[in-house]
Amino acid sequence: MDELDKLKAIWQNATGYTGKEKEEIARMLQGESASIVSRLKRNVWFELLFTILTGLALIYISITSNNNRLSLMIAMLMVVYLIYLLYYIRKLRLLNRFSMTEGNIKSNLQHLTGALRGYLNFYKLSYIILYPLFFVAGLWIAARDVGVDEFLKRFSDTAYLLRFLLLTALLMSGVYTFTNWYLKKLYGNHLKRLQGILKEFDE
């Protein structure tokens, strides 16, 4: 049984709150919140290190490649990577500042959940914008490689156009579905648990 289950069991069985019960509830809330924050930190560190490693790999590919258009695409990605590095660093600073031992527990949790909700919304919005942007950039590079006229000529074939639209819809649907699952797994579920703890304060 985890900390929240223990907490709920106390509330369900108690006929009235004693000072000792309140202290135990506070300790459980503190322990559960600290545990969730630790897992959030671990996930942010994972994404930060993964971003750095893939960024270094892309820089190496760009340096060793003779394809100028590929290098341009990687340069665009590097700008996005820098933005995300700053995003992860700010999120780590937020989590490191969070303390259940100082100040009011409820207000600390409210500040943390509000900030995390904002970061998660930024994350989702960035992917909504970036996926189509990089897809269009990829098409532009492909068009330049084969020739713009030849590239556009392919779309005059109705069967080719329908296949392209179907594959694009499947690709985007799959990518957004995976991203939503990924964000929920790494951050959304933990944010929901923190919000659940806040609700316990109000009941």
Side-chain angles (χ1 to χ4, degrees), residues 52-123:
I52 291 172
L53 290 175
T54 53
L56 291 173
L58 287 172
I59 290 172
Y60 174 78
I61 292 171
S62 178
I63 292 171
T64 56
S65 172
N66 294 321
N67 189 323
N68 291 331
R69 294 189 182 93
L70 177 61
S71 297
L72 177 60
M73 189 75 168
I74 290 174
M76 291 171 61
L77 275 171
M78 287 300 99
V79 174
V80 175
Y81 270 44
L82 286 174
I83 293 172
Y84 273 99
L85 283 176
L86 293 173
Y87 165 79
Y88 295 137
I89 291 169
R90 287 191 64 182
K91 195 152 59 171
L92 278 173
R93 288 178 63 188
L94 168 72
L95 293 169
N96 286 331
R97 284 200 307 268
F98 177 74
S99 173
M100 290 300 299
T101 60
E102 298 177 5
N104 184 278
I105 295 175
K106 184 176 179 180
S107 64
N108 284 343
L109 276 173
Q110 286 173 332
H111 174 70
L112 179 64
T113 53
L116 286 176
R117 205 161 42 237
Y119 280 128
L120 200 55
N121 288 337
F122 164 79
Y123 214 152

Side-chain angles (χ1 to χ4, degrees), residues 6-195:
K6 290 178 182 176
L7 176 62
K8 288 174 182 176
I10 290 175
W11 276 344
Q12 288 169 357
N13 296 328
T15 55
Y17 292 127
T18 67
K20 192 175 285 189
E21 283 171 344
K22 287 181 180 179
E23 289 176 9
E24 187 173 356
I25 289 171
R27 283 196 301 271
M28 287 180 180
L29 288 170
Q30 180 178 347
E32 180 68 10
S33 301
S35 175
I36 294 170
V37 170
S38 294
R39 288 193 287 273
L40 283 167
K41 283 182 187 178
R42 178 198 62 198
N43 293 342
V44 176
W45 272 111
F46 166 77
E47 288 206 295
L48 178 62
L49 293 174
F50 180 78
T51 301
I52 291 172
L53 290 175
T54 53
L56 291 173
L58 287 172
I59 290 172
Y60 174 78
I61 292 171
S62 178
I63 292 171
T64 56
S65 172
N66 294 321
N67 189 323
N68 291 331
R69 294 189 182 93
L70 177 61
S71 297
L72 177 60
M73 189 75 168
I74 290 174
M76 291 171 61
L77 275 171
M78 287 300 99
V79 174
V80 175
Y81 270 44
L82 286 174
I83 293 172
Y84 273 99
L85 283 176
L86 293 173
Y87 165 79
Y88 295 137
I89 291 169
R90 287 191 64 182
K91 195 152 59 171
L92 278 173
R93 288 178 63 188
L94 168 72
L95 293 169
N96 286 331
R97 284 200 307 268
F98 177 74
S99 173
M100 290 300 299
T101 60
E102 298 177 5
N104 184 278
I105 295 175
K106 184 176 179 180
S107 64
N108 284 343
L109 276 173
Q110 286 173 332
H111 174 70
L112 179 64
T113 53
L116 286 176
R117 205 161 42 237
Y119 280 128
L120 200 55
N121 288 337
F122 164 79
Y123 214 152
K124 291 177 180 178
L125 181 62
S126 67
Y127 277 116
I128 290 171
I129 296 171
L130 288 175
Y131 285 156
L133 180 64
F134 279 102
F135 182 74
V136 170
L139 290 178
W140 175 76
I141 289 174
R144 294 293 298 270
D145 283 340
V146 301
V148 176
D149 291 337
E150 179 63 27
F151 182 79
L152 293 175
K153 186 179 177 182
R154 296 176 182 178
F155 292 95
S156 63
D157 181 352
T158 305
Y160 179 87
L161 177 61
L162 290 175
R163 285 198 302 272
F164 174 80
L165 293 174
L166 177 61
L167 288 173
T168 299
L170 289 173
L171 175 65
M172 287 298 176
S173 176
V175 165
Y176 283 120
T177 299
F178 172 78
T179 302
N180 287 334
W181 171 84
Y182 174 78
L183 291 178
K184 185 178 179 183
K185 189 79 174 172
L186 257 63
Y187 303 111
N189 290 337
H190 296 311
L191 178 58
K192 215 174 249 188
R193 293 184 72 185
L194 287 173
Q195 289 170 331

